[in-house]
Amino acid sequence: MSQSLIVAKFGGTSVADFDAMNRSADIVLSDANTRLVVLSASAGITNLLVSLAEGQELEQRAYLLDEIRTIQYAIIDRLQAPDVIRQEIDRMLENILMLAEAAALATSAALTDELVSHGELMSTLLFVEILRERQINAEWFDVRKVMRTSDRFGRAEPDVDTLQSLCAAQLAPRISEALVITQGFIGSESKGRTTTLGRGGSDYTAALLGEALHAARVDIWTDVAGIYTTDPRVVPTAKRIEEISFEEAAEMAIFGAKVLHPATLLPAVRSDIPVFVGSSKDPAAGGTRVCNETPNPPLFRALALRRKQTLLTLHSPNMLHAHGFLAEVFAILARHNISVDLVTTSEVNVALTLDTTGSTSSSDSLLTQALLTELSSLCRVEVEENLALVAIIGNNLSKACGVGKEVFGALEPFNLRMICYGASSYNLCFLVPTPDAEEVVRALHQNLFGA
Ligand code: ADP
Ligand code: ASP
Ligand code: MG
């Protein structure tokens, strides 16, 4: 593939309506190297589809479908020749209705993925039409032909080798002939059933396709002009980071900075592909460059916030001077397919967090009764919900002096439920009650980054 290929991804707000789609089309057309475009569903559509997939009563189904139709028809109504595309979208809506009826009888993660995939299928159809009306040779491509994943519905993992060979055979030739528009977020497993990469997964799709096609850059166009020192919705005075390393940005994403899906930077790091993050509403405002190394990385780079954290505290007097307790606990968690997020231990207690965010299926809860029963046979188990994880992302944090004072000095009025520091030199993180979380971030941001 061309050495200068750019893969551009546009999120939900960037394809929310006719005007947003046209602004995004302007961005695509402003650089001839942009040959592959990855789109999310129009804003709001995925949430409506997830709701349908949860199984709804007849009236609610009709209401939700109507909401979806209204959003997509508002785009169709502004086209010069809307008839053919309206028929295509109507067929999609019929499919959605049929799948929603099935979900009302019995929900499943596989059915959810099939249903929600229609959001991206529709937005890409509409975007191609907008480009064609602008006389562009644009082609719709079903990403499921190349995005082979595991069958872990709701949070499927890509099979990178298969993706690579399918891209070389099927996608690369298309890109050399037309501007190709494809779907983020969705894929298919080996039997051909539709899967999804987890909420916000379109960023990950763009990076995976960029890697498979040896792109020179992946551009993530969203509703903020880059990556900021923290979520600008929480701290409006947050500052844009002009250049950030893969490691730092990956830590931010993993700890909840929604601007990038947590896995986005894996392919970028593997293949050293720079990522740009900018606002499709204001491309002239510039954005953030994410690359391998940045000059003079600061001690404190950013703050991230992840809500909906579950804390398990395990208490076992047998742990005193005993061997193997932690090994047993982790073996149980592994059998239940749970990866532990944070851990702290004392002589007879272990506290650990499970991150329950990210899956497309809202029913995909990590904390099952079977897990609790098995753990309870070993020790006393306490479960706390409604916690939020605040992470400070930085460089050489575990080697610097005075970090404790700077961080915790600002947090005097707050209850800190658990603190993790020292395992990684890139982060320091702690749990707070969710109602305090935004206040904590604001106080900390003021202290570390100023007003
Ligand atoms: P898209 O639909 O384009 O993928 P998202 O809503 O997933 O957009 O991500 C963009 C949002 O990420 C922003 O509106 C912002 O509120 C949030 N966000 C969280 N942390 C950060 C951060 N550190 N910098 C920029 N945006 C952030
Ligand atoms: N449409 C999907 C979601 O809302 C994927 C994405 O936007 O990246 O989660
Ligand atoms: Mg997103």
Side-chain angles (χ1 to χ4, degrees), residues 9 11-12 222-224 226-228 230-233 252 257-259:
K9 175 260 171 178
T222 178
D223 60 355
V224 271
I227 302 178
Y228 283 65
T230 194
D231 188 342
R233 280 182 219 223
M252 286 181 75
K258 195 186 166 211
V259 64

Side-chain angles (χ1 to χ4, degrees), residues 9-13 39-47 50 116 119-120 184-186 196 198-205 258 261 358 360:
K9 175 260 171 178
F10 294 86
T13 47
L39 300 184
S40 294
S42 301
I45 296 279
T46 307
N47 285 349
V50 168
V116 299
E120 272 69 12
F185 180 50
I186 70 175
T196 61
R199 293 304 304 267
S202 299
D203 302 329
Y204 191 23
T205 305
K258 195 186 166 211
H261 179 275
T360 304

Side-chain angles (χ1 to χ4, degrees), residues 312-330 343-352 375 377-381:
L312 287 189
T313 308
L314 312 178
H315 175 84
S316 166
N318 303 339
M319 219 172 128
L320 195 64
H321 307 308
H323 303 281
F325 176 77
L326 280 180
E328 263 184 84
V329 166
F330 280 86
V343 194
T344 60
T345 63
S346 73
E347 189 61 52
V348 293
N349 292 291
V350 190
L352 39 93
L375 284 174
S377 68
L378 192 70
C379 53
R380 199 178 77 224
V381 184

